[in-house]
C-alpha cells in the first residue's frame, strides 16, 4: 500500500453562479439554433459542421477560448467553464468543433503560440490536432516523414479535421502548423457513425509545415492537450447522459400502455433510477476532472483517466437505455434518440476507450498487472 | 448414452424411417430432379407430404416423427433436388403457417399453406400500432362488418417485408364496447387489396427496413377471418409464441455469428489490445458459447417433443449478446469503429450478419431487444409462464376499450 | 473560483465566524479542559450552544451557519477538549435527534436532546416487523389508549443496539379501522419499561448484531407520543429520510474503506493476479473513487444548503460497492478467501470496517442493501421523488387496514 | 481466425431417463437425511461431514464411483451420471466429500491404482487430493520436500481433507498415497466460510508415502483430475443456482407487501426472470462439460474452463439475488439462504476463479492477450 499516493485534495465540485449563468446563455442559444431536428437535418447536408453557430458561440459568448488569457484574445476563465459549455454542447449534440479546437487550444497554450490562439478564440479559424481520434493521451503518434519541414504521410480519422483551417501536426519530433489550403494537404471527410461529429482522413504529400516547437516537449504537450480533451469529453458525455435520462423520463411519464403511464411500471422505473444514480456519480467525477484541469492539479492525469473510464460507459448506457425505453420509436430515424446513441458511441472511442484509461490508472496508481511486480 | 436419439417415448403413430425413405424414392421416380422446374417440383413435394413430414397429410406432411425430416432432406440433397428456402418467407413459415394450422379452417389451409411453403406467396404481419406496441391488445385499428365483408381502417407500424408480401396477418378491433382483450378479431389481409398503402419508414441505420401500412377502407371477406369473431387475442398469442420460438436451422458452429467477427477484429488489431478488453472478449466468448449450447440443447429437447422454457431465454440472450458483442467490436476496432458505410435512405439489401459492416451491426442490433416482443415483455413472460410468478394488478382488463385512457 | 465556500447566498442570520470563535473561547474560560470530567464538559458544551452551532439555541446550537461548526471543532481539538463521539449513538444522532427537532414538543426536546448528544442515553428504532419490512405502513403492533397512557403489544425485528438503548423510536397502529397509512402513531418507548423484552437474533455472520424486541403490554405515557395521533406515517417518513441521508463525517481519503483493503490484498498476492482480475480491481477503483467524489460533492452542496438527490444515490452505491469489492477481495485472496474467523454465536464487537476479516466483510455487506431501506425501495424513491415518475397503481391505500389481505 | 479450432461436435445435452431416475433416488435420500435444518445444525457439531450419509450414497446408490468400471468396484456409468449426483448434492448443500473423492477417483483412474479405488467406491475410505482448494487445473503445485519417500511441507486449505482417510500427495515429481494415521501427517480443520464444505490444512513432517506414479504423467494426471473436478463443481453450482431460484420464487409467490404478492412487482419479477434465463444457459454449459468428460472428448479442457467461467458467476449471482429478494429474513442464521450464499461463494474460488478460467480459455482458443502475437 505504500506505493499508493497520498489522497489529493478535492476542490469545489459544484457549479458556481458564473458557471450556471454561462450554461443558461449557451443553452438558450442552442435551443434557438440547434434543436435536434436542425441537427438531424444538417447531417445530410454538404456542411455537417455549423460554422455560423460556432462563430456565434465564439464571438458572442466567448466559448472558443475560455481558458485563454484576455490579452491573448480569450475569456480569461478556466477549463471549468469550458467543461460547462461542453456539457451543453453534448446535451444538444451540437455540430460545432469545440472539442477539437479545445485540444488545439491546450496545445497552443503549451507551446506558447499566440497567433493561432487569437484566430481560434474569435471562432474565425478552426484548428485541429492531426492525430487519430481514437488515440488515448500518450499513445504513440502516427509516424510521418519529414524532409526540410515538408511532411508526408497519412493520419486517418482526425477529429474536427473536416472543417479545420489549420492542422497541428506532430512529426519528426516537432510540432507543425499546416494550412489546409496547402497543395500538399488533402482532407477527406469520412462517413462517420456519429453523423454529428464527422471525422476526416488527412493525407500529406510534402505539405509545408510551420514549425511551432521541437523536442521532447512536443510529445508531452500533445499528451497534455489530449488529457484536456479527455476532461472536456467527459463533460460532454455528462451532458449526453443527462439529456438521455431526461428524454427517457419524459417518454416514460407520457406514454401509456396497459392503461398506465410506462413510468409507473416498476422495472422501468428502477432502470431509470439506476441511470440517475450513475449520472449523479458521473457528475462528481466530471466536475473533479474539470477542477483539476482548471487548477493544474498534480492529480490531473488520474482525474482525466478516471473521468473517461467512468463517463464513457455511463453515457453509452444512458443512450442505450434511452433507446430501449422508447421501444420502436427509438429505432426510427425521424426521432431524437439515435443522435445521442451515435454520439455516445463515438465518445466511448474518441480519446481512448474506457479499458485503456483503466490500464492508465493502473500505472498511475501503482496497481500492478499480472506480469509486474509491485 | 450420449448419442442424440428420439428415445423410445416418442414411438410415432405415423410412418417410420424406412417408410419415409420409400416415399421419397417413390416421389423421385415420378419427379426426376434433372432439369426440374423449381416451383413445380416444390409444389409436388408438398403434395406428396414431403414438405414437413411431421405435419398431417394434406398440409405438406405424413404425420411422421419430426426427426424423420432429416431422412427426406438428406435424400433430396443427395440427388440435387431444387432447394426449399424458408428464409425467403420468414413470417410465412414462422408465424402464418403455425397460426393457420392451429386456428384456420381446412379451406384456408388448402388455399394458403402450399404457396406459403413453396415461397410463391410471402407474408407479413400487421400487429403493432403507433399507440399499441407492447400492449398489443390496446390496438385501435377498426374492422366493421358489412354483409359478408369487413371494412378496415387503421395504421400499422414496425412491419417488415410489407413491400413484398402477398398476404398479411392482421389483428383489428371489431368491438370497442367490451374490454380490450375481448374485442379483437384475427384476419388474413390481401396486401394487393384496394386501400392498402405501404410506406417505408426510415430507421437509425439509415435504411427503410420496416414499413408503415395504412389501411384505408380495406375490404376483407369474412372467409378470410381466422378464428371466431372476438377471439383475435387468443389467435395472436399463438402467432407471437411461434415468433418467439421460431424454428432454427441446426446448431450453428462455434465462432459463427457476431462472436466470430469480434474474434477476427481482435486478431486483426493487436495494437488495440488491452488486458481489460481481452477479458471482456473472453467473457463474451463464454456467453456466446453458452448461448450456442443452449440453442443446441433446446433443439434436442424439441426433437424429443419436450420443448423447455428456453425459447424466450434464447431470444433474450440473443438480443443482449448481439448488442454487447457488436459494441465491443467497435471498441476493438478503434478508428475503424468510428466509421459507417452509408446512411443514405434506401431499402436494405439482405446480407449475412457477419458480412455487414460493424457499425451497421451495432446499430441494427439495437432493434433485437424490441422486434418480436420487447425484452421487457419477454421477461414478464418468463417470470409468469416459466416461473409461475403472479401477474401485476391490472387496471385495464375489465373496462370497455372505448373507456380506457389512452 | 475553486475554493469551497458557503457563498453569499447563505448569509446566516445567526452569529458569524468570529462571534462563534469568541463563544468557544469564552466557554473554555469557564470550562477548562485540563482534568475535565468528559460528561460534565459535554453537557456544558451543549448548554453553551456549541454542540452543533447550526441548531437553534436551547437545542445545542446558536442558529449559526453550518460551516462554522468547523471553527468550534478546530478550536476544541487544539486545546485537547474531551471528545464528542457521535458514532457511539448512531440512531440517536442520525434519526432520533432530527425527528425530535422536527416533530417533538419543546418539553420533549428539552428532556431528550442533551443526553442524546452527550451519549448518556443511546437510542434504537422499533419500526420493522416480521410481516412489515419494505411495507412499513403494514405494521401490526397495536397501541391502545387507556387514559393518559398507551398500551402496546407487538413484535419488532431488525433492531440494532436494542440491548444498550435507553429509548426507542416506535411506530404502532392506533386505529386499524382506517387505511393503513392513516392509522399509525409515533412514540418514544422507554426500553427499561416493563413488558419490553430484547431477544438477540443471529445473523449469517454468526453474530447477534440485530435483535427481536417483544412488546408485551408496554405502557407509554401520552406525553411520549411524537406528533399527532394518526400522523405516525409522516413522522416515520421524516425519520427514514434522515436515516437514508444521515450525516457523514467529512470526505474520506482516497483508498479508505473496502477499496483500500482490496488494493492491499492485490499487492500482497502477486500470485493471484490475472488480467481479468486486474481490470476488475481497476474498475472497482473507478467506481469507489466516483462514490467518494459523489459524497464530497454532496457535502459541499449541503454546506451551501442545497442538498441534491445524492442521498439515496450514495446509499445505493455504497451497498452495491461494498458487496462487489468484498466479493472480489475474496477472489483475490484465493485460499484465504475460503476461511472465516469465527461463526460462534456472539454479540459483535464494533471494529472498523477494514480491520474486520475479509469473509466477515463480505457477509456483513449483504445487509447493506437491506438495512435502512432496501435498495428496491430506494430505487423507487429515486424514480418517483427525484425523477418524478408516476407511482404504481395501489390496491392497499384506501382499504381499512383491518380488511387488507396479509 | 485460422488459429481458431474447428467446431467440435455437440453431444447429448439432455438428461436421459437413467439420469433422471438416479436424480430422483438421490433427491429422495437427501430429502430424508439432509434437509437444510439438518445441514445447518451439523455445521456446529464436531463432525461437519456426514459420513453415514456418504456411506449410504456410496453403498446403496453407488454414487461414489459412478465412472469406475464394475470390475473395479464401481457402477460402470460415466461422469455424466456423476454430474447429475453433483447437481443434487449442490441443491441440498449436502455435507459429503463427493467433490474431493471424485477428483481422487479421476486421479486414481489415471494412474491405474485399484486398491484405493475399491475403498472409495464403497464409501469406506475417503480420499482427497492434497492441493490447495483454490488451485485451478494446471496451476503450479505446492513445493514439498521428499527424502526417500518421506514427505515434508505444508499444503494449506485442502478440499475434503478434514474427513479424509488417505491423502494423495504430488511431491518431488511423483504421486504418493499417505495414510492420515501416519504420525508424520497432521490435518487441521480450518473455520471455513462455507461451513458445509470445510477445508483443512495439511502439515507433513517426514510422512511416509506410498508411491503410486512417477514422472511427467503425475502433473498431467493431477491437472486432468482437477478438470474433472471443475466439471462436477459446475454441475454442483447448477444445483445451487436452481435451488436458489426455486427458493426465491417460492418466497416471491408467498410473501405479501403492499397488499400484493412480492412476485407481482415487475422489478422483482424481471430479476427472477433474468436469473432463470442465466440458469437455462448454465444448464446447457454444465451438461456439455459433463458429456465431454464422459466421452473423453478432445474439447474437454475448453468445456471444463467454459463451465467454470460460466457457472461460478451464475451460482454466485443466484445466491446473492436469493438473499436480497428475501430481504431481512435472508440475512438471518436460522434460515436456508445463507447456506447457499456461502456454498456459492466457496464454489467461485474452489478449483480456480472465473477469471483464471477465462484466461485459460484465451490460451486454449488462441485468443492472444495484449503482449502476445496471434
Amino acid at each position: 500500500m505504500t506505493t499508493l499516493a497520498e489522497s489529493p485534495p478535492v476542490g469545489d465540485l459544484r457549479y458556481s453562479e458564473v458557471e450556471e449563468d454561462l450554461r443558461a446563455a449557451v443553452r438558450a442559444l442552442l435551443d434557438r439554433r440547434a434543436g435536434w431536428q436542425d441537427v438531424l437535418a444538417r447531417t445530410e447536408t454538404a456542411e455537417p459542421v455549423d460554422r455560423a453557430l460556432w462563430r456565434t458561440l465564439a464571438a458572442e459568448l466567448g466559448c472558443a477560448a475560455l481558458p485563454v488569457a484576455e490579452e491573448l484574445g480569450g475569456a480569461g476563465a478556466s477549463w471549468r467553464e469550458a467543461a460547462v459549455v461542453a456539457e451543453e454542447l453534448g446535451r444538444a449534440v451540437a455540430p460545432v468543433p469545440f472539442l477539437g479546437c479545445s485540444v488545439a487550444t491546450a496545445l497552443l497554450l503549451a507551446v506558447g503560440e499566440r497567433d493561432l490562439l487569437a484566430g481560434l478564440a474569435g471562432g474565425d479559424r478552426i484548428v485541429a490536432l492531426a492525430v487519430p481520434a481514437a488515440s488515448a493521451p500518450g499513445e504513440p503518434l502516427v509516424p510521418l516523414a519529414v524532409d526540410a519541414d515538408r511532411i508526408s504521410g497519412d493520419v486517418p480519422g482526425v477529429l474536427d479535421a473536416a472543417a479545420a483551417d489549420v492542422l497541428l501536426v506532430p512529426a519528426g519530433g516537432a510540432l507543425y502548423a499546416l494550412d489546409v489550403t496547402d497543395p500538399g494537404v488533402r482532407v477527406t471527410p469520412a462517413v462517420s457513425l456519429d453523423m454529428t461529429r464527422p471525422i476526416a482522413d488527412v493525407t500529406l504529400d510534402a505539405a509545408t509545415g510551420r514549425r511551432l516547437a521541437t523536442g521532447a516537449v512536443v510529445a508531452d504537450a500533445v499528451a497534455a492537450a489530449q488529457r484536456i480533451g479527455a476532461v472536456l469529453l467527459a463533460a460532454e458525455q455528462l451532458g449526453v447522459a443527462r439529456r438521455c435520462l431526461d428524454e427517457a423520463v419524459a417518454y416514460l411519464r407520457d406514454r401509456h400502455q396497459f392503461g398506465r403511464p410506462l413510468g409507473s411500471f416498476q422495472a422501468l422505473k428502477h432502470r431509470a433510477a439506476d441511470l440517475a444514480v450513475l449520472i449523479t456519480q458521473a457528475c462528481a467525477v466530471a466536475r473533479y476532472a474539470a477542477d483539476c484541469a482548471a487548477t493544474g492539479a498534480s492529480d490531473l492525469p488520474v482525474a482525466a483517466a478516471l473521468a473517461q473510464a467512468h463517463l464513457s460507459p455511463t453515457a453509452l448506457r444512458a443512450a442505450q437505455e434511452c433507446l430501449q425505453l422508447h421501444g420502436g420509436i427509438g429505432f426510427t430515424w425521424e426521432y431524437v434518440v439515435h443522435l445521442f446513441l451515435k454520439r455516445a458511441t463515438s465518445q466511448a472511442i474518441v480519446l481512448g476507450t474506457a479499458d485503456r484509461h483503466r490500464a492508465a490508472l493502473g500505472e498511475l496508481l501503482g496497481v500492478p498487472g499480472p506480469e509486474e511486480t509491485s | 448414452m450420449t448419442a442424440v436419439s428420439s428415445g423410445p417415448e416418442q414411438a410415432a403413430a405415423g410412418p417410420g424411417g424406412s417408410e419415409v425413405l420409400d416415399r421419397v424414392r417413390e416421389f423421385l421416380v415420378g419427379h426426376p430432379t434433372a432439369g426440374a422446374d423449381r416451383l413445380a417440383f416444390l409444389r409436388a413435394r408438398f403434395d406428396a407430404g414431403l414438405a414437413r413430414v411431421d405435419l398431417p397429410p394434406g398440409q405438406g406432411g405424413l404425420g411422421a416423427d419430426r426427426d424423420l425430416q432429416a431422412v427426406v432432406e438428406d435424400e433430396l440433397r443427395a440427388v440435387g433436388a431444387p432447394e426449399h428456402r424458408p428464409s425467403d418467407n420468414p413470417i410465412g413459415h414462422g408465424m402464418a403457417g403455425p397460426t393457420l394450422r392451429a386456428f384456420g379452417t381446412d379451406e384456408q389451409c388448402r388455399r394458403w399453406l402450399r404457396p406459403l411453403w413453396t415461397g410463391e406467396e410471402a407474408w407479413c404481419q400487421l400487429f403493432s400500432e403507433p399507440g399499441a406496441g407492447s400492449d398489443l391488445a390496446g390496438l385501435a385499428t377498426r374492422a366493421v362488418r358489412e354483409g359478408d365483408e369487413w371494412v378496415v381502417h387503421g395504421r400499422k407500424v414496425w412491419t417488415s417485408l410489407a413491400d413484398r408480401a402477398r398476404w398479411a396477418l392482421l389483428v383489428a378491433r371489431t368491438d370497442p364496447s367490451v374490454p380490450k382483450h375481448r374485442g379483437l378479431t384475427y384476419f388474413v389481409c390481401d396486401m394487393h387489396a384496394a386501400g392498402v398503402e405501404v410506406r417505408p419508414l426510415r430507421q437509425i441505420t439509415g435504411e427503410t427496413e420496416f414499413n408503415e401500412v395504412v389501411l384505408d377502407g380495406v375490404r376483407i371477406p369474412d372467409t378470410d377471418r381466422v378464428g371466431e369473431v372476438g377471439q383475435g387475442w387468443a389467435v395472436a398469442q399463438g402467432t407471437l409464441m411461434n415468433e418467439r420460438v421460431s424454428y432454427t436451422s441446426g446448431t450453428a458452429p462455434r465462432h459463427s455469428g457476431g462472436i466470430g467477427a469480434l474474434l477476427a477484429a481482435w486478431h486483426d488489431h493487436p495494437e488495440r489490445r488491452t488486458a481489460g478488453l481481452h477479458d471482456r472478449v473472453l467473457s463474451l466468448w463464454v456467453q456466446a458459447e453458452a448461448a450456442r449450447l443452449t440453442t443446441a440443447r433446446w433443439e434436442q429437447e424439441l426433437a424429443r417433443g419436450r420443448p423447455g422454457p428456453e425459447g424466450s431465454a434464447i431470444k433474450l440472450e440473443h438480443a443482449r449478446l448481439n448488442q454487447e458483442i457488436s459494441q465491443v467490436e467497435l471498441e476493438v476496432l478503434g478508428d475503424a469503429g468510428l466509421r459507417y458505410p452509408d446512411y443514405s435512405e434506401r431499402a436494405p439489401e439482405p446480407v449475412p450478419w457477419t458480412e455487414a459492416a460493424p457499425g451497421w451491426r451495432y446499430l441494427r442490433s439495437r432493434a433485437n431487444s424490441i422486434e418480436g416482443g420487447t425484452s421487457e415483455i419477454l421477461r414478464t413472460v418468463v417470470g409468469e409462464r416459466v416461473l409461475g410468478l403472479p401477474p401485476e394488478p391490472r387496471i385495464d382488463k375489465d373496462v370497455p376499450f372505448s373507456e380506457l385512457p389512452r
Side-chain angles (χ1 to χ4, degrees), chain A residues 18-19 22 62 65-70 74-82 109 294:
Chain A
V18 171
E19 287 164 356
L22 177 62
L66 283 161
V68 177
E70 291 182 32
S78 79
W79 291 118
R80 277 182 69 101
E81 291 78 11
L109 282 171

Side-chain angles (χ1 to χ4, degrees), chain B residues 47-289:
Chain B
D47 292 340
L50 299 174
R52 253 186 54 200
V53 295
D54 57 317
L55 295 178
Q59 296 191 1
L62 300 167
D65 195 276
R66 194 189 143 113
D67 275 9
L68 299 178
Q69 186 64 34
V71 174
V72 180
E73 303 296 344
D74 290 350
E75 190 67 16
L76 291 178
R77 197 180 306 112
V79 300
E83 266 192 352
H84 176 238
R85 296 190 294 259
S87 60
D88 285 1
N89 190 11
I91 294 175
H93 287 279
M95 303 175 74
T99 303
L100 291 171
R101 287 194 294 271
F103 298 96
T105 62
D106 289 350
E107 172 54 30
Q108 288 171 336
C109 287
R110 252 193 306 282
R111 178 165 155 202
W112 282 315
L113 288 182
R114 194 175 83 172
L116 181 163
W117 187 82
T118 60
E120 286 164 88
E121 293 180 349
W123 289 67
C124 68
Q125 59 150 309
L126 299 174
F127 282 17
S128 296
E129 299 183 3
S134 289
D135 181 14
L136 177 62
L139 58 83
T141 291
R142 283 283 277 127
V144 177
R145 184 140 191 175
E146 284 188 15
D148 285 346
E149 291 184 326
W150 296 82
V151 182
V152 184
H153 286 92
R155 201 154 71 91
K156 299 285 184 176
V157 288
W158 200 255
T159 308
S160 52
L161 308 173
D163 47 335
R164 54 191 180 91
R166 178 69 180 80
W167 301 101
L169 302 170
L170 168 71
V171 190
R173 186 161 307 277
T174 45
D175 186 356
S177 74
V178 297
K180 63 184 192 179
H181 294 86
R182 285 191 252 145
L184 304 174
T185 302
Y186 200 105
F187 300 95
V188 170
C189 175
D190 182 348
M191 292 295 286
H192 293 181
V196 174
E197 189 195 345
V198 177
R199 297 173 183 165
L201 269 183
R202 194 171 177 193
Q203 282 83 49
I204 70 173
T205 55
E207 299 169 341
T208 54
E209 179 181 349
F210 299 107
N211 303 277
E212 178 179 41
V213 176
V214 178
L215 305 168
D216 183 13
V218 177
R219 304 187 86 84
I220 298 179
D222 190 54
T223 50
D224 291 357
R225 172 171 46 78
V226 181
E228 298 304 307
V229 173
Q231 296 298 307
W233 177 251
V235 181
Q237 285 302 101
T239 303
L240 291 174
M241 211 33 64
N242 272 297
E243 178 175 39
R244 284 168 199 157
V245 299
S246 69
Y247 293 88
T248 57
S249 47
T251 305
R254 185 177 276 176
H255 301 134
S256 55
I259 192 69
L262 174 58
L263 290 175
W266 183 259
H267 278 272
D268 291 348
H269 289 273
E271 84 288 358
R272 297 284 307 163
R273 295 180 199 152
T274 61
L277 218 41
H278 189 221
D279 192 56
R280 200 146 166 231
V281 167
L282 290 169
S283 175
L284 287 170
W285 185 88
V286 166
Q287 297 170 54
E289 183 66 2

Side-chain angles (χ1 to χ4, degrees), chain B residues 359-382:
Chain B
W360 182 88
R361 270 187 272 126
Y362 171 74
L363 292 180
R364 180 60 182 80
S365 71
R366 306 316 306 178
N368 292 163
S369 49
I370 300 170
E371 58 196 338
T374 65
S375 290
E376 288 71 31
I377 290 290
L378 287 183
R379 280 190 199 100
T380 297
V381 167
V382 171

Side-chain angles (χ1 to χ4, degrees), chain A residues 248-269:
Chain A
V249 165
Y251 188 79
L252 290 175
R253 279 200 205 125
D254 190 49
R255 165 95 165 170
H256 282 62
Q257 294 271 278
F258 305 102
R260 295 162 48 182
L262 275 187
S264 72
F265 285 93
Q266 201 193 36
L268 305 186
K269 182 182 293 170

